Amino acid sequence: MKKVICLIESLGSGGAERQLSGLAAMLKQQGYEIEVWTYYPQDFYLPTLKDGNVKYRYIPEAQRKSKRLSVLRKELKKANPDTVIAYLDTACMVACIIKALGAKFKLIVSERNTTQHLSRRERLKFFLYRFANYIVPNSHTQSKFIKKNFPVLADKVKCITNFVDIERFVPTQERGERTPRRILTVARVMPQKNVLGYIEAVKSVVNQGGKLRVDWYGNSTDDNYYEQCKKAVIDKNLEDIFVFHQAKSNIVDEYQNADWFCLPSFYEGFPNVVCEAMSCGLPILASDVCDNAQIVADGQNGFLFNPHNEKQIANILQKGLDISEHNIVIMGNESRKIAVEKLSSEVFINRYIDII
């Protein structure tokens, strides 16, 4: 059976790390010889690899930028894999350079977000993608972007949207009406996620008499921004209404104990957390960006809004508060149905196996 190495910077708490860990475990189940390599020590998803009996290798010597290429090139030559699957930009770019220098493995690189502007680094990345065998965006939006702006890469592009473990992320069997309504967000605290705009919208709802509780689970990637967000909560007297929590690996119970899931991002790829929330039977409030409209049917299993319009966000939040418990259940059931039909791990792994 083929030997596959999955390369990523770390096993931190993000969506890319989550998908890669799940992919490795599924490939192991299919009989592949599989290893996951990182060069930074975060190990949030290490339990997923251990549960899947996936070999994990941490290579600290590759942390130094000046040595990263030579170290990983040497180690990949010794390991002699049939296929390398790289996730996130830096790991993808390094893998492409190693491939360009004569490595014989098949290379699959993954696009985990949607390009907002073509910086010099982005242009370099897409140039290096010429040396990959396949480019796997996790969103149809990014697939279209690559094909339009880099037609020479079009034949390499194979869109594979994220999976969700529909056997693990399941609706609660005991649901009761909550007052106030609990709105859950699971995401890193960073400008892309539009946290400050979301706080402003929540304050507007509260000022109009709306009763809600917002719980945000996720670590910070920008300490200055995180401090701004915490200060905004305090300045607007929302300490008991808008609460930040650290990321947690067992998040299912939080989904099951919420009324709505909200993701107010300015842009996304194909958000894992929306998929998980839907699989847990939650209706969704989300930005009308990127691929969100492909899984959130406005008025059926949730509502979409313009993330740049805080008044519209507030109106949608209020709409969620006004809907009856009965209709919340109906919309949540529709979310679960969509998740089962479109987001199963079986579809995801079969598409990867096709290109491996």
Side-chain angles (χ1 to χ4, degrees):
M1 184 57 76
K2 292 181 178 179
K3 182 176 183 179
V4 179
I5 290 176
C6 296
L7 178 66
I8 193 168
E9 288 196 326
S10 77
L11 292 177
S13 61
E17 295 87 345
R18 183 179 326 180
Q19 291 288 309
L20 184 76
S21 300
L23 170 61
M26 284 185 270
L27 287 173
K28 179 69 174 180
Q29 285 182 342
Q30 295 293 322
Y32 287 84
E33 183 183 351
I34 182 80
E35 297 180 15
V36 172
W37 289 11
T38 73
Y39 45 88
Y40 286 114
Q42 292 92 334
D43 60 0
F44 189 84
Y45 285 106
L46 187 56
T48 301
L49 300 185
K50 289 182 177 179
D51 290 345
N53 198 29
V54 175
K55 184 176 180 180
Y56 168 63
R57 186 175 177 200
Y58 167 49
I59 309 175
E61 298 83 3
Q63 286 183 26
R64 291 180 60 182
K65 293 180 180 179
S66 60
K67 292 190 173 182
R68 184 171 299 153
L69 178 61
S70 60
V71 168
L72 291 177
R73 185 187 183 196
K74 177 182 176 183
E75 294 304 318
L76 284 169
K77 185 175 181 180
K78 287 196 298 184
N80 192 31
D82 297 289
T83 301
V84 171
I85 302 174
Y87 267 43
L88 297 181
D89 288 358
T90 301
C92 289
M93 292 167 74
V94 170
C96 284
I97 295 172
I98 295 171
K99 178 77 171 174
L101 291 173
K104 302 302 182 184
F105 52 75
K106 177 182 286 186
L107 176 59
I108 301 169
V109 295
S110 180
E111 284 284 281
R112 310 306 303 172
N113 222 323
T114 53
T115 302
Q116 300 303 296
H117 65 278
L118 281 170
S119 64
R120 185 177 299 177
R121 189 174 191 271
E122 285 286 304
R123 291 182 185 278
L124 173 60
K125 178 185 71 173
F126 287 115
F127 172 80
L128 291 173
Y129 279 178
R130 295 165 184 252
F131 300 103
N133 297 91
Y134 292 102
I135 305 162
V136 180
N138 73 339
S139 72
H140 298 285
T141 302
Q142 186 68 353
S143 293
K144 292 174 183 176
F145 174 87
I146 296 171
K147 291 176 181 179
K148 177 182 177 181
N149 291 277
F150 302 94
V152 69
L153 301 176
D155 290 343
K156 297 176 182 283
V157 175
K158 305 290 181 183
C159 181
I160 303 177
T161 55
N162 292 344
F163 78 94
V164 62
D165 185 347
I166 59 175
E167 301 300 324
R168 177 187 172 206
F169 292 92
V170 295
T172 181
Q173 298 301 309
E174 298 180 4
R175 180 182 172 83
E177 187 166 357
R178 276 173 287 268
T179 303
R181 289 270 169 82
R182 182 172 186 249
I183 301 177
L184 176 69
T185 298
V186 181
R188 288 172 172 166
V189 181
M190 57 194 298
Q192 173 191 340
K193 304 302 181 181
N194 189 24
V195 191
L196 289 173
Y198 188 28
I199 293 170
E200 190 66 42
V202 169
K203 178 60 175 176
S204 179
V205 171
V206 171
N207 285 346
Q208 297 299 315
K211 297 188 182 300
L212 72 167
R213 158 84 182 212
V214 175
D215 287 293
W216 185 298
Y217 282 84
N219 298 331
S220 170
T221 62
D222 183 330
D223 289 342
N224 288 334
Y225 186 75
Y226 185 45
E227 291 303 318
Q228 289 180 53
C229 294
K230 290 197 297 183
K231 184 176 185 300
V233 167
I234 294 170
D235 290 347
K236 298 179 188 302
N237 298 314
L238 295 175
E239 296 98 318
D240 296 329
I241 294 171
F242 197 115
V243 182
F244 289 107
H245 308 268
Q246 289 296 301
K248 57 185 291 189
S249 56
N250 184 16
I251 196 70
V252 175
D253 57 336
E254 301 301 336
Y255 289 121
Q256 292 177 337
N257 288 302
D259 297 292
W260 289 89
F261 184 84
C262 182
L263 191 65
S265 310
F266 288 123
Y267 62 94
E268 284 289 341
F270 195 91
N272 290 292
V273 290
V274 170
C275 300
E276 292 172 355
M278 288 173 57
S279 188
C280 287
L282 280 179
I284 308 299
L285 308 172
S287 307
D288 190 5
V289 296
C290 306
D291 278 25
N292 283 350
Q294 298 201 25
I295 51 176
V296 180
D298 199 44
Q300 295 182 38
N301 72 310
F303 300 106
L304 299 170
F305 54 76
N306 178 354
H308 299 277
N309 187 331
E310 292 163 6
K311 183 177 180 180
Q312 189 180 126
I313 300 174
N315 289 340
I316 292 298
L317 288 173
Q318 186 62 56
K319 199 170 186 177
L321 299 183
D322 291 340
I323 286 179
S324 70
E325 176 68 16
H326 175 73
N327 285 330
I328 285 179
V329 171
I330 290 174
M331 295 178 81
N333 289 341
E334 184 65 20
S335 278
R336 173 68 181 178
K337 179 182 176 183
I338 294 170
V340 170
E341 291 175 352
K342 294 185 176 182
L343 307 174
S344 74
S345 57
E346 183 178 358
V347 172
F348 175 84
I349 191 61
N350 286 340
R351 288 177 178 169
Y352 262 103
I353 288 173
D354 283 345
I355 59 176
I356 290 173

